Amino acid sequence: MCQYSTASHGPGTGALTDYHIATLGHYALKGAGLVFVEATGVQANGRISPNCPGIWSDAQIPALRRVSDFIKSQGALSGIQLAHAGRKASTCAPWIAGAQKTQGGKRKVSVRADKDVGGWPTNVVGPMGGEDWTWDGSQLSDENGGYWAPRALTEEDIAELVQDWAKAAERSVKAGVDVIEIHGAHGYLIHQFLSPLTNQRTDKYGGSFENRARLLVEIIQAIRKVIPDTMPLYLRISSTEWMEESEEGKKHGSWDVESSIRLAKLLPGLGIDLLDVSSGGNLNRQRLNPFNAKDYQTRIASRIRQELKKDGLSMFIGAVGLITEAEQARDIVEEGGAAAARTADAELEKEAQAAVGMTELRDGAEPMADVILVARQFMREPEWVLRVAWQLGVDVAWPNQFLRVRL
C-alpha cells in the first residue's frame, strides 16, 4: 500500500525511513507471513509521487536492508514490489489532491507534482507521447487535470529500462529481500504496454499481443538472470481493464481476462512463481469501480487457475481485493466462493479446518486461489492475522511481549 512517506529531495531521496519500520515491521510482529514494501521505483521517474520509495541507486540499499532485517527478525519474510508508474508518475500524495477542489467543486483525484515539489513534469514517460495520452485525458491547460503528458519511450530507452529493472532486483537481493514482485497492474508502465488502448506503437513493442507483452517478457528474463534460482518471483497484473464494452475497446481491443489467461500460460516457462490477480486502473473511463465490488477479482483468479490446470501448468495464483473477514477468505480457498449464511460461533471448527489446510482440496471443491493477499485491512488493524486466528480457533504464536493480552 503506497504510503508517500520518503524524502522527495536530498541524499535520502526514495530511501525507506523509520516510518516504514514502524508500519511494515508491526505487520510482521502481529503475524503476517510475508510483508511487501510498497511499489518501489526502478528509475527515479518511475515513482508515482516524489515521496514514493525507490531502489534505482546503491545509496538506497541500506535503508531497505534495515526494514527487511526488522521484518525478518519478527518471523516474517520480506518482499518488495518493483514498479514504474509510466504516465501516472510525478503526481502528489493523494491527501494533497483530496484537499483541493475542481472547478466544479468536487475533490480532486490527482494533482500534478511540479518541479517545486520535486516532480519531473518533462520526464514522465509511456508507450505513447503527447497530451492526447495523459492518464485522465486532460490537456495541460486544464486546471482540473491531474496528470502530466508523457513522452514516448524510444527502443533505446526501453533497453535501458529493462536493465534498470534487473539492477533494482540485484539491489533488492543485496538488501536481504526474500521475494520480488513485478508490478504490471493498475495502469502503470507495464500495463500501459500490455493494453492496445494505451499502446498503439508501430515498432516491435506495439501492435500484436506478442509485441505488447515484449517489455514484460524482457523484464522477467532480465530479473531471473540476476536473482537466485530459488528466489520466488511474483507478477501482479490487472486481469481486465474493464473496457471491453466501451466504444474505444470495441475499436482497438482492450486488455481483458482472455488476454490475461494467454499471458498466464507463458509465465511458468519464464520463471514466474505466483501470479497476483488484480484489475483496472489503466483508464479513468473503466466501466467498473473496484471499490464498490466484492468478489469479482477472486472469480477471475479462479478462472485463470482453472485454465492453467487444464494445460498442466504449475503456477500459484494469488487473490486480492478487499478481503476483510475470515469467512470470506475461507470461502475463496475452500469452497469456491460459495456464499452461505453462518455465524462465527457456529462455524469455528470449519474455519479452523480451512485455516489448517488453506491450499488443500476439500470434499472435491477446487480452491479459487493458492494465496490470499491482504493490504487495506492490515492498515485498519495490524493484528488482523491474530484476530482471524482467534476467530477460527487456530492456535498461532503471539509475540511474547503481547501474551498478557492474548485473545
Side-chain angles (χ1 to χ4, degrees):
M1 297 300 294
C2 294
Q3 299 292 284
Y4 312 97
S5 296
T6 70
S8 62
H9 59 278
T13 301
L16 301 180
T17 69
D18 288 349
Y19 173 85
H20 300 92
I21 293 178
T23 52
L24 299 175
H26 201 64
Y27 304 146
L29 175 71
K30 292 293 184 67
L34 169 61
V35 180
F36 274 96
V37 176
E38 67 200 79
T40 303
V42 299
Q43 293 181 331
N45 70 342
R47 292 168 292 164
I48 300 166
S49 81
N51 299 105
C52 287
I55 191 66
W56 67 81
S57 165
D58 288 351
Q60 294 157 338
I61 293 175
L64 176 58
R65 172 167 281 284
R66 191 161 171 256
V67 172
S68 176
D69 285 351
F70 186 80
I71 288 171
K72 293 196 286 188
S73 76
Q74 302 307 305
L77 296 177
S78 68
I80 189 169
Q81 193 178 65
L82 299 182
H84 194 297
R87 67 177 186 161
K88 295 178 82 172
S90 195
T91 61
C92 294
W95 54 82
I96 294 176
Q100 299 185 26
K101 299 292 181 71
T102 67
Q103 292 175 345
K106 295 181 179 180
R107 285 199 319 167
K108 284 192 173 183
V109 175
S110 182
V111 168
R112 303 175 185 124
D114 213 331
K115 289 182 179 180
D116 60 340
V117 293
W120 47 98
T122 61
N123 197 26
V124 173
V125 299
M128 312 298 294
E131 290 194 54
D132 291 340
W133 295 98
T134 59
W135 185 82
D136 57 6
S138 299
Q139 301 291 296
L140 295 181
S141 57
D142 184 351
E143 293 183 2
N144 291 333
Y147 297 86
W148 297 105
R151 64 174 177 84
L153 289 164
T154 66
E155 290 192 23
E156 291 75 18
D157 291 332
I158 293 172
E160 182 179 351
L161 174 68
V162 170
Q163 290 308 306
D164 284 343
W165 278 84
K167 292 174 183 176
E170 284 185 297
R171 294 186 186 103
S172 300
V173 172
K174 290 178 181 178
V177 166
D178 299 298
V179 179
I180 289 174
E181 178 169 78
I182 299 168
H183 197 339
H186 302 161
Y188 299 124
L189 187 64
I190 290 174
H191 187 178
Q192 293 163 28
F193 270 85
L194 290 173
S195 170
L197 288 173
T198 47
N199 180 359
Q200 294 176 21
R201 298 172 68 103
T202 56
D203 61 6
K204 66 180 182 179
Y205 290 98
S208 67
F209 172 90
E210 290 80 9
N211 282 359
R212 287 182 282 111
R214 190 183 303 277
L215 172 62
L216 173 57
V217 170
E218 290 180 351
I219 287 171
I220 295 170
Q221 291 172 331
I223 290 177
R224 261 292 165 216
K225 287 180 181 177
V226 299
I227 65 175
D229 292 341
T230 56
M231 187 174 198
L233 182 59
Y234 292 10
L235 170 65
R236 168 169 263 195
I237 64 167
S238 284
S239 55
T240 175
E241 54 195 1
W242 303 111
M243 292 293 290
E244 298 94 322
E245 301 304 318
S246 68
E247 289 301 317
E248 53 195 313
K250 292 175 182 177
K251 179 180 179 181
H252 298 289
S254 67
W255 188 262
D256 55 15
V257 176
E258 295 301 327
S259 302
S260 293
I261 291 171
R262 186 175 177 183
L263 175 65
K265 291 181 178 181
L266 301 177
L267 299 176
L270 293 169
I272 295 294
D273 299 292
L274 181 144
L275 182 63
D276 177 354
V277 181
S278 189
S279 72
N282 196 33
L283 297 116
N284 67 338
R285 302 177 296 284
Q286 65 185 28
R287 295 299 179 92
L288 180 141
N289 182 349
F291 298 103
N292 292 331
K294 290 185 179 179
D295 62 350
Y296 67 97
Q297 286 179 163
T298 56
R299 294 188 181 279
I300 294 172
S302 176
R303 184 179 170 198
I304 294 173
R305 190 176 185 276
Q306 291 169 7
E307 293 295 330
L308 289 172
K309 190 173 182 181
K310 285 180 186 177
D311 285 10
L313 297 171
S314 177
M315 180 174 62
F316 290 119
I317 298 296
V320 302
L322 303 179
I323 299 168
T324 58
E325 295 298 332
E327 292 92 341
Q328 187 180 359
R330 189 278 306 275
D331 286 346
I332 290 167
V333 299
E334 185 190 31
E335 295 184 354
R342 55 174 69 90
T343 63
D345 289 343
E347 295 296 325
L348 278 177
E349 184 177 353
K350 291 181 181 179
E351 299 287 359
Q353 292 172 356
V356 171
M358 287 182 68
T359 59
E360 298 176 3
L361 292 173
R362 290 297 183 92
D363 301 323
E366 181 70 19
M368 293 179 76
D370 302 288
V371 173
I372 301 297
L373 301 163
V374 178
R376 291 180 181 88
Q377 191 61 14
F378 274 113
M379 296 182 70
R380 297 184 185 100
E381 48 180 343
E383 68 280 2
W384 189 79
V385 169
L386 300 178
R387 187 183 68 82
V388 169
W390 167 76
Q391 183 178 6
L392 301 181
V394 177
D395 187 21
V396 298
W398 274 56
N400 290 335
Q401 301 92 330
F402 288 80
L403 287 178
R404 72 181 66 187
V405 295
R406 182 173 183 171
L407 294 171

